[in-house]
Amino acid sequence: MIYNKDKVFIPPFKMQGIKSKIVPLIKASVLMDDDTTWIEPFMGSAAVGLNVAGKNAVFADINPHIIDFYNRLKSGAVTPNVVREFLSEQGTLLAEKGGEHYYFVRERFNNEHNPLDFLFLNRSCFNGMIRFNKNNGYNVPYGHKPGRFAKAYITKIVNQVKHFEEKIRHNNWTFLCQPFEKTIASADGNVFIYCDPPYIGRHVDYYDSWNEEQEVRLKTCLLESKARFLLSTWDSNRYRSNPYISLLWNEYNKITQEHFYFVGAKEHNRNSMTEALLTNF
Ligand SMILES: C[S@@+](CC[C@H](N)C(=O)[O-])C[C@H]1O[C@@H](n2cnc3c(N)ncnc32)[C@H](O)[C@@H]1O
């Protein structure tokens, strides 16, 4: 298959905070050669590494479910065909039963943790959100789109899975469920670390909460690693600036890009946010 090198590939999972829109800026800002190992301690959906990592990469996160999906893709236990069949079957049931089926799968997922159920929920829940309560239970409500899994939509997801699978097959990519401290401590040699931690105080999710103590610890870990790094954070919005940039990250280089995110169809509901990339090189 021939790919346009400027195309941004989208992973099969949606999530809040996904960085697909600033992938071109990140790609233009990294400092890597062909032998550099890409280290991504907060991989989320892995949208960034999918587009930027080379042949060696370590992806990690404390949320086990996307990691489990990618590891099964790597081992061959999940394939694009398995995904197509699963989503067709579950999509038919969703079209027939609507919310009743969504909540049935949500309960099944919370008991059995099948990553295919997680993909189905992620693509049929409210706004493609990933949110867990303190008992690790996935608790996002139904997105109220019973006809969601039309053939074209399933094909779109299957193609995303196929592309990810090809990347895994042709490269030496590892997926680990572990906290950022461990991932950064193991980064050694010719590595490049890309960090995209949750934004402080923005989320109330079990896996996605973040506070000042963690931000300080992240800085300490990055300094100890002595590796080149790029950190994604928010710079400012209409109302305020991120105080931690001047408090903690002042000595680093800052690249910014404004991006619009949509909270509604009407123009006055569109908020712009300036994203910041901080680098130590
Ligand atoms: C903003 S999201 C990353 C989004 C990702 N860049 C993308 O494009 O999909 C932050 C991620 O950090 C993970 N996370 C939160 N606390 C963590 C920790 N202590 N160690 C490792 N990962 C953590 C969350 O589970 C979440 O997936």
Side-chain angles (χ1 to χ4, degrees):
M1 220 181 285
I2 297 168
Y3 294 122
N4 169 354
K5 72 175 176 37
D6 297 324
K7 182 172 166 43
V8 174
F9 290 97
I10 307 295
F13 290 92
K14 289 174 176 254
M15 69 183 297
Q16 58 276 34
I18 191 167
K19 292 296 180 297
S20 17
K21 288 212 172 63
I22 59 165
V23 158
L25 182 67
I26 296 173
K27 215 170 173 174
S29 310
V30 299
L31 191 57
M32 294 167 64
D33 59 44
D34 288 349
D35 295 319
T36 305
T37 300
W38 172 262
I39 312 272
E40 193 168 347
F42 305 88
M43 68 162 235
S45 67
V48 178
L50 169 66
N51 288 282
V52 184
K55 62 179 190 288
N56 297 310
V58 176
F59 292 87
D61 203 288
I62 47 165
N63 182 337
H65 303 297
I66 299 183
I67 288 169
D68 190 16
F69 185 95
Y70 292 158
N71 272 329
R72 288 190 200 206
L73 205 54
K74 189 172 169 173
S75 73
V78 166
T79 64
N81 272 342
V82 165
V83 170
R84 185 185 295 282
E85 272 173 35
F86 185 84
L87 293 182
S88 304
E89 208 177 277
Q90 298 302 314
T92 304
L93 291 167
L94 189 76
E96 277 167 29
K97 300 181 183 172
E100 187 195 328
H101 188 62
Y102 175 86
Y103 289 107
F104 169 77
V105 176
R106 196 175 82 170
E107 197 175 329
R108 182 170 71 191
F109 169 73
N110 281 333
N111 290 323
E112 298 170 7
H113 298 145
N114 177 349
L116 288 168
D117 276 342
F118 189 58
L119 179 64
F120 169 83
L121 293 168
N122 178 251
R123 303 304 291 241
S124 55
C125 69
F126 177 72
N127 264 355
M129 282 175 71
I130 293 184
R131 194 184 61 202
F132 290 82
N133 61 27
K134 62 178 181 344
N135 301 318
N136 298 8
Y138 180 76
N139 65 359
V140 181
Y142 177 44
H144 291 283
K145 290 182 182 153
R148 188 80 172 133
F149 294 96
K151 228 174 171 165
Y153 190 63
I154 294 178
T155 298
K156 183 176 160 184
I157 300 170
V158 169
N159 286 339
Q160 290 165 345
V161 172
K162 219 180 259 176
H163 182 69
F164 212 108
E165 188 201 39
E166 271 174 33
K167 285 283 198 165
I168 293 176
R169 200 166 346 112
H170 291 118
N171 296 298
N172 177 23
W173 287 7
T174 305
F175 300 90
L176 301 168
C177 182
Q178 61 187 27
F180 70 87
E181 293 90 337
K182 199 166 170 195
T183 312
I184 297 174
S186 66
D188 195 24
N190 181 1
V191 297
F192 186 90
I193 305 178
Y194 169 64
C195 286
D196 183 21
Y199 294 164
I200 293 181
R202 286 276 294 272
H203 303 297
V204 284
D205 174 74
Y206 179 73
Y207 293 115
D208 213 11
S209 63
W210 195 250
N211 58 31
E212 189 173 316
E213 192 195 318
Q214 285 164 302
E215 186 99 356
V216 171
R217 208 159 55 236
L218 173 60
K219 183 177 176 185
T220 308
C221 290
L222 287 171
L223 284 176
E224 280 170 2
S225 87
K226 300 194 171 52
R228 273 164 297 172
F229 71 80
L230 188 155
L231 171 79
S232 274
T233 188
W234 68 283
D235 183 70
S236 52
N237 60 23
R238 245 173 88 187
Y239 309 101
R240 58 196 188 101
S241 300
N242 179 353
Y244 291 96
I245 293 189
S246 48
L247 274 173
L248 274 182
W249 305 103
N250 208 16
E251 73 256 46
Y252 299 103
N253 301 312
K254 186 172 88 171
I255 305 156
T256 54
Q257 176 171 298
E258 189 173 357
H259 106 243
F260 283 88
Y261 64 96
F262 298 87
V263 290
K266 298 207 174 85
E267 195 153 355
H268 65 261
N269 284 337
R270 289 179 196 170
N271 290 315
S272 80
M273 150 85 89
T274 302
E275 306 270 355
L277 302 181
L278 306 171
T279 66
N280 68 340
F281 52 88

